[in-house]
Amino acid sequence: LVRIVWRLISPPPPPLASYSRLTRIGAAFGHAFLYIGLFAVMIAGYLISTADGVGIPVFGLFHIPAVVSGLPDQADTAGVVHLYLAWVLVVFAGLHGVAALKHHFIDRDATLKRMLGRKA
C-alpha cells in the first residue's frame, strides 16, 4: 500500500524516446504484473491469517477484521497460493533487475540511473 501511495506522489518519468514499442508495452505489462502480484500475495496472506475468523492486530494500534473466513481448507489453499505467488514475484523482480542492468551495460541508456532517481 505504501508503494502505491509513493507511486501516486512520485510518478515515474516518461519512457525514453529510444525505447521501441515492444519495450514500452513490455515495461507496462511487467510493472502491472508486479503490482498485481504484490496485491495478490497480500490478499493470500490475509486469507491465511484470518482463516480461523480472528482479525489481524497491527502493532497493537488497530485490527484488520476477518471479513472472509471459514472457507473449506482456506488456510492451506491460500498458503499454497501465497507461496507460489511469492516465488513468482521473487523471480520476476530478479528479471526486472537483470533488465535494468541490460539497459545500463548493453543498451547504454539512462534507464538504471532514472530508476535510482538520478538525472540522465
Side-chain angles (χ1 to χ4, degrees):
L1 294 174
V2 171
R3 179 66 183 110
I4 294 293
V5 170
W6 178 254
R7 178 136 180 160
L8 293 172
I9 293 171
S10 177
L16 293 174
S18 62
Y19 289 171
S20 69
R21 185 170 189 270
L22 183 62
T23 299
R24 291 171 193 256
I25 292 169
F29 278 113
H31 289 115
F33 178 79
L34 285 170
Y35 282 109
I36 291 167
L38 285 172
F39 276 103
V41 166
M42 183 177 69
I43 291 167
Y46 169 82
L47 291 173
I48 295 167
S49 298
T50 59
D52 58 359
V54 177
I56 304 168
V58 179
F59 304 115
L61 300 173
F62 60 92
H63 276 72
I64 299 173
V67 177
V68 178
S69 62
L71 298 173
D73 300 320
Q74 179 176 331
D76 293 335
T77 303
V80 170
V81 169
H82 187 78
L83 173 70
Y84 287 111
L85 273 176
W87 275 110
V88 166
L89 280 174
V90 166
V91 170
F92 201 78
L95 291 173
H96 185 259
V98 169
L101 294 174
K102 178 246 181 210
H103 277 282
H104 188 72
F105 291 111
I106 294 173
D107 298 341
R108 300 206 180 271
D109 64 24
T111 301
L112 183 60
K113 289 178 184 175
R114 290 165 28 126
M115 287 173 63
L116 297 173
R118 297 185 185 143
K119 300 263 184 204

